[in-house]
mmCIF file of all heavy atoms in Angstrom:
data_model
loop_
_atom_site.group_PDB
_atom_site.id
_atom_site.type_symbol
_atom_site.label_atom_id
_atom_site.label_comp_id
_atom_site.label_asym_id
_atom_site.label_seq_id
_atom_site.Cartn_x
_atom_site.Cartn_y
_atom_site.Cartn_z
ATOM 1 N N LEU E 210 12.962 12.432 28.052
ATOM 2 C CA LEU E 210 12.424 11.810 29.260
ATOM 3 C C LEU E 210 10.955 11.428 29.052
ATOM 4 O O LEU E 210 10.150 12.211 28.550
ATOM 5 C CB LEU E 210 12.565 12.758 30.452
ATOM 6 C CG LEU E 210 14.025 13.017 30.857
ATOM 7 C CD1 LEU E 210 14.112 14.127 31.888
ATOM 8 C CD2 LEU E 210 14.678 11.739 31.391
ATOM 9 N N GLY E 211 10.605 10.227 29.473
ATOM 10 C CA GLY E 211 9.298 9.677 29.153
ATOM 11 C C GLY E 211 8.133 10.309 29.881
ATOM 12 O O GLY E 211 6.992 10.202 29.429
ATOM 13 N N ASN E 212 8.379 10.975 31.000
ATOM 14 C CA ASN E 212 7.283 11.536 31.782
ATOM 15 C C ASN E 212 7.133 13.043 31.605
ATOM 16 O O ASN E 212 6.304 13.662 32.274
ATOM 17 C CB ASN E 212 7.500 11.209 33.268
ATOM 18 C CG ASN E 212 7.609 9.721 33.495
ATOM 19 O OD1 ASN E 212 6.617 9.005 33.439
ATOM 20 N ND2 ASN E 212 8.840 9.252 33.706
ATOM 21 N N LEU E 213 7.957 13.601 30.721
ATOM 22 C CA LEU E 213 7.887 15.026 30.429
ATOM 23 C C LEU E 213 7.622 15.236 28.945
ATOM 24 O O LEU E 213 7.953 14.398 28.117
ATOM 25 C CB LEU E 213 9.200 15.728 30.810
ATOM 26 C CG LEU E 213 9.692 15.572 32.247
ATOM 27 C CD1 LEU E 213 10.988 16.356 32.439
ATOM 28 C CD2 LEU E 213 8.638 16.012 33.259
ATOM 29 N N ARG E 214 7.039 16.373 28.625
ATOM 30 C CA ARG E 214 6.854 16.774 27.234
ATOM 31 C C ARG E 214 7.438 18.165 27.050
ATOM 32 O O ARG E 214 7.051 19.097 27.764
ATOM 33 C CB ARG E 214 5.368 16.783 26.862
ATOM 34 C CG ARG E 214 5.107 17.010 25.372
ATOM 35 C CD ARG E 214 3.619 17.031 25.070
ATOM 36 N NE ARG E 214 3.010 18.284 25.465
ATOM 37 C CZ ARG E 214 2.917 19.358 24.669
ATOM 38 N NH1 ARG E 214 3.399 19.328 23.436
ATOM 39 N NH2 ARG E 214 2.333 20.460 25.105
ATOM 40 N N PHE E 215 8.386 18.289 26.119
ATOM 41 C CA PHE E 215 8.929 19.608 25.827
ATOM 42 C C PHE E 215 7.840 20.424 25.137
ATOM 43 O O PHE E 215 7.372 20.081 24.056
ATOM 44 C CB PHE E 215 10.171 19.514 24.942
ATOM 45 C CG PHE E 215 10.667 20.864 24.493
ATOM 46 C CD1 PHE E 215 11.176 21.774 25.403
ATOM 47 C CD2 PHE E 215 10.592 21.234 23.154
ATOM 48 C CE1 PHE E 215 11.613 23.024 24.989
ATOM 49 C CE2 PHE E 215 11.041 22.482 22.731
ATOM 50 C CZ PHE E 215 11.544 23.377 23.664
ATOM 51 N N ALA E 216 7.422 21.527 25.782
ATOM 52 C CA ALA E 216 6.260 22.287 25.311
ATOM 53 C C ALA E 216 6.626 23.629 24.704
ATOM 54 O O ALA E 216 5.737 24.351 24.250
ATOM 55 C CB ALA E 216 5.275 22.487 26.458
ATOM 56 N N GLY E 217 7.926 23.984 24.701
ATOM 57 C CA GLY E 217 8.308 25.235 24.065
ATOM 58 C C GLY E 217 9.241 26.068 24.916
ATOM 59 O O GLY E 217 9.951 25.558 25.791
ATOM 60 N N LEU E 218 9.221 27.387 24.642
ATOM 61 C CA LEU E 218 10.132 28.325 25.297
ATOM 62 C C LEU E 218 9.354 29.393 26.060
ATOM 63 O O LEU E 218 8.311 29.879 25.597
ATOM 64 C CB LEU E 218 11.016 29.021 24.257
ATOM 65 C CG LEU E 218 11.935 28.138 23.418
ATOM 66 C CD1 LEU E 218 12.665 28.987 22.383
ATOM 67 C CD2 LEU E 218 12.935 27.390 24.297
ATOM 68 N N HIS E 219 9.900 29.754 27.191
ATOM 69 C CA HIS E 219 9.385 30.894 27.954
ATOM 70 C C HIS E 219 10.431 31.994 27.846
ATOM 71 O O HIS E 219 11.582 31.809 28.237
ATOM 72 C CB HIS E 219 9.175 30.498 29.418
ATOM 73 C CG HIS E 219 8.571 31.578 30.255
ATOM 74 N ND1 HIS E 219 9.310 32.430 31.038
ATOM 75 C CD2 HIS E 219 7.270 31.943 30.424
ATOM 76 C CE1 HIS E 219 8.502 33.262 31.658
ATOM 77 N NE2 HIS E 219 7.261 32.990 31.307
ATOM 78 N N ALA E 220 10.020 33.140 27.296
ATOM 79 C CA ALA E 220 10.972 34.217 26.999
ATOM 80 C C ALA E 220 10.399 35.545 27.469
ATOM 81 O O ALA E 220 10.092 36.432 26.676
ATOM 82 C CB ALA E 220 11.268 34.256 25.505
ATOM 83 N N TYR E 221 10.272 35.676 28.769
ATOM 84 C CA TYR E 221 9.664 36.872 29.366
ATOM 85 C C TYR E 221 10.739 37.870 29.779
ATOM 86 O O TYR E 221 11.668 37.514 30.507
ATOM 87 C CB TYR E 221 8.830 36.473 30.589
ATOM 88 C CG TYR E 221 8.264 37.632 31.356
ATOM 89 C CD1 TYR E 221 7.418 38.555 30.743
ATOM 90 C CD2 TYR E 221 8.549 37.805 32.706
ATOM 91 C CE1 TYR E 221 6.883 39.612 31.460
ATOM 92 C CE2 TYR E 221 8.019 38.861 33.432
ATOM 93 C CZ TYR E 221 7.185 39.761 32.802
ATOM 94 O OH TYR E 221 6.661 40.814 33.513
#
Side-chain angles (χ1 to χ4, degrees):
L210 293 171
N212 303 286
L213 304 181
R214 188 181 77 89
F215 173 66
L218 299 176
H219 184 263
Y221 175 59

